[in-house]
Amino acid sequence: MSLQAGILISFGLIMFGGTMYYLNEEYPEKAKLARLGLGITVLGLIVLGGSIIFLRQWSS
C-alpha cells in the first residue's frame, strides 16, 4: 500500500469516527455508538502516525 493511500485512509477513518461521535454524543441511549466513533477516530490517528513514521524512515 502506498503512503498516500495510508494517509487518505487514516483521514477517512478520522472523519467517519468523528462524525459518528458527534451525531451520537447527546443521546444516552446511543453511548455505544459514540464510543465506537471515538475508537474509530483513535484508530485513524494510529494509522496516520504509522504512515508518518514509515514515511520518515523511507525518506532517510
Side-chain angles (χ1 to χ4, degrees), residues 21-29 34:
Y21 173 75
Y22 178 74
L23 293 175
N24 294 309
E25 70 176 331
E26 295 181 10
Y27 306 106
E29 64 273 4

Side-chain angles (χ1 to χ4, degrees), residues 13-25 37 41:
L13 284 171
I14 291 168
M15 291 304 215
F16 179 74
T19 303
M20 193 172 181
Y21 173 75
Y22 178 74
L23 293 175
N24 294 309
E25 70 176 331
T41 302

Side-chain angles (χ1 to χ4, degrees), residues 6-58:
I7 290 172
L8 286 175
I9 289 170
S10 69
F11 282 144
L13 284 171
I14 291 168
M15 291 304 215
F16 179 74
T19 303
M20 193 172 181
Y21 173 75
Y22 178 74
L23 293 175
N24 294 309
E25 70 176 331
E26 295 181 10
Y27 306 106
E29 64 273 4
K30 294 186 177 182
K32 274 188 180 177
L33 287 175
R35 278 189 243 123
L36 180 64
L38 282 176
I40 292 172
T41 302
V42 169
L43 178 67
L45 289 172
I46 291 170
V47 170
L48 179 62
S51 298
I52 291 171
I53 289 170
F54 185 72
L55 176 64
R56 182 177 290 171
Q57 289 179 352
W58 184 269

